[in-house]
Amino acid sequence: MSSDGPRLRADARRNVEGIRTAALDVFRAHGLNSPLDEVARAAGVSKGTIYHRFGGRQGLIDAVVEELVAERILGIITAVRAIEDPVERFESYLRQIWLLQYDEPAANDVLLRALPGSEPIAALCEHASKVAGGFLGDAQATGAIRDDLTEEDVYLLIWERGIIARACDQQHRDGFVRSFEHTLRGLRAGS
Amino acid sequence: MSSDGPRLRADARRNVEGIRTAALDVFRAHGLNSPLDEVARAAGVSKGTIYHRFGGRQGLIDAVVEELVAERILGIITAVRAIEDPVERFESYLRQIWLLQYDEPAANDVLLRALPGSEPIAALCEHASKVAGGFLGDAQATGAIRDDLTEEDVYLLIWERGIIARACDQQHRDGFVRSFEHTLRGLRAGS
DNA sequence: AGGGTTCTTGACCATGACGTCAAGTAACGC
DNA sequence: GCGTTACTTGACGTCATGGTCAAGAACCCT
């Protein structure tokens, strides 16, 4: 997990770790678009060092995204898989993803695909979409979920919620939930 | 409609008109947060003149908001009032407002209450909310719309759609519609 | 310990926005 | 026409961001 070629000098290694940690904190709190100066300050280094070590925001994100987000998303998938009823499984998946988007701005940024050109992120999104598609199919097979719903619709719903979550700015959590429950009801067959 | 005290010099009057016109164009195209330089350029005037004549963005907005937005919103209210079926009236109101938000960034900004401290705008929003509340009540009385829905919920739905519309950036109109139809279905009773 | 190399720093440039004001320009009244 | 006054200009100051780089500091090896 930590073999990047030549071996760094002691201070450099220390800084890389410090920056990673700071980035985790800052990104978790304010999303992946936080000013890099803030990360630098939190790490007790200068901005230049981040550019030097990680090549800019994209590199920094790549370096922390796994720890920051992947496990949360994969955790949801795993947890939801255990639900037997396909409809409940599908709805639960959406609920959990939506809440994650609300609670973790960084996860939200990832799901919104707001980060062009990062391979691990793209892969993660791809996977999540496939999984969602599976859940959707199973749920539709029971007849309880509208069958004109597509995988793309599901992604759209997630995207929209993400945009909303981003604008909410840590308030109104119950309004957020209340409102996505309306949408969820609208996905059921026979309205 | 045009008696603001002392009477302006000819060039000033010309400029005020030009700026108003330019502001209508620019605001219509890019919303009420467009850079004032852009308005100035469109009016063939320098930025300073806008500040001089209108006192800044807020004043400029106040000067055009009526023509820009009020009539659209009031038009929708009037049109929708003519619908007899209360449920259809309520749903139609939401649809039209949502489309307006999508199509006119400026109207959206107004409905999002993104402009603090402008009296005419506040009044307009107030009025729209009251009207929406009325439509909601009538629709609920028929039993076809969930009765746990509040006027505040309706405002929330409008707010959320506005946020989404703002992020859409002139694409995906059908996705936008498709998705709000889901929400609309979720507002109906008995799901 | 000291020389050579790796790292870090923070001042610097750029962009794009808001808002101000002294100085220049144009209209008006006589 | 011409002086007076109203009006406009655009350069300037400010702030917040992204990003770079020469010069100085820290480290590591011998």
Side-chain angles (χ1 to χ4, degrees), chain A:
Chain A
M1 197 125 196
S2 50
S3 59
D4 305 65
R7 179 178 180 81
L8 297 173
R9 228 171 66 178
D11 50 351
R13 244 174 302 136
R14 209 186 315 131
N15 282 336
V16 167
E17 246 336 285
I19 291 170
R20 261 185 48 90
T21 305
L24 283 170
D25 287 352
V26 173
F27 284 167
R28 242 193 270 274
H30 308 299
L32 299 180
N33 292 310
S34 319
L36 290 191
D37 306 70
E38 205 174 319
V39 176
R41 215 177 323 118
V45 290
S46 139
K47 191 174 34 159
T49 305
I50 295 184
Y51 282 94
H52 197 354
R53 287 285 147 233
F54 296 90
R57 157 166 283 116
Q58 194 57 61
L60 184 55
I61 289 174
D62 287 352
V64 298
V65 71
E66 187 92 6
E67 186 170 343
L68 189 59
V69 159
E71 52 193 34
R72 294 297 307 267
I73 294 177
L74 298 177
I76 288 176
I77 292 176
T78 307
V80 163
R81 274 224 172 90
I83 298 177
E84 292 188 14
D85 177 41
V87 175
E88 202 191 322
R89 193 195 308 143
F90 171 66
E91 296 195 348
S92 182
Y93 177 74
L94 278 181
R95 280 195 190 92
Q96 303 235 31
I97 290 287
W98 284 338
L99 285 176
L100 177 65
Q101 292 181 282
Y102 190 92
D103 291 328
E104 300 238 19
N108 196 13
D109 289 336
V110 166
L111 288 165
L112 287 177
R113 288 164 164 66
L115 302 313
S118 177
E119 189 269 308
I121 291 183
L124 182 58
C125 287
E126 198 54 37
H127 181 229
S129 276
K130 280 234 175 68
V131 169
F135 292 161
L136 171 63
D138 297 348
Q140 285 172 319
T142 71
I145 294 293
R146 300 177 62 85
D147 62 2
D148 64 343
L149 216 60
T150 68
E151 195 178 313
E152 210 175 313
D153 286 330
V154 172
Y155 177 63
L156 182 60
L157 291 170
I158 291 174
W159 180 81
E160 289 183 343
R161 275 292 132 190
I163 296 294
I164 293 170
R166 193 182 260 180
C168 274
D169 242 4
Q170 326 315 330
Q171 300 164 293
H172 319 301
R173 196 171 197 273
D174 20 323
F176 184 78
V177 172
R178 203 171 153 72
S179 150
F180 76 53
E181 289 295 341
H182 293 144
T183 299
L184 219 42
R185 270 197 303 277
L187 305 183
R188 298 190 188 131
S191 341

Side-chain angles (χ1 to χ4, degrees), chain B residues 9 12 15 45-46 48-49 52-53:
Chain B
R9 225 170 67 177
N15 283 336
V45 176
S46 140
T49 304
H52 196 358
R53 287 286 148 232

